[in-house]
Amino acid sequence: MGLHKSTDNGLHWDQMLNGIPAATIYAIASTASAVFASTFNNLYVSFDDGNSWALSDSGISSHKCL
């Protein structure tokens, strides 16, 4: 569970939980400046390649989609 990151083409993996709980990640997306990770209840954003995460669900409806 959680989110992992590799900087050596998958040879080694590090768990990236700074600010994001150890939960199942259902979706991940990125832009040129941010990475987004979605758990069942929340959306998190990282602006430093996953080194730190902040809750980012402002303006998102409370209705859950599966």
Side-chain angles (χ1 to χ4, degrees):
M1 288 200 313
L3 187 63
H4 294 77
K5 175 182 173 181
S6 175
T7 58
D8 58 9
N9 296 316
L11 187 60
H12 298 95
W13 292 88
D14 295 312
Q15 197 168 25
M16 308 303 290
L17 295 178
N18 294 335
I20 192 170
T24 300
I25 305 297
Y26 287 97
I28 191 162
S30 65
T31 66
S33 60
V35 180
F36 297 90
S38 172
T39 64
F40 184 75
N41 294 316
N42 295 302
L43 178 65
Y44 296 86
V45 64
S46 173
F47 295 104
D48 59 5
D49 295 323
N51 293 312
S52 62
W53 294 89
L55 187 60
S56 179
D57 59 2
S58 177
I60 297 176
S61 170
S62 63
H63 299 288
K64 305 289 188 259
C65 297
L66 298 177

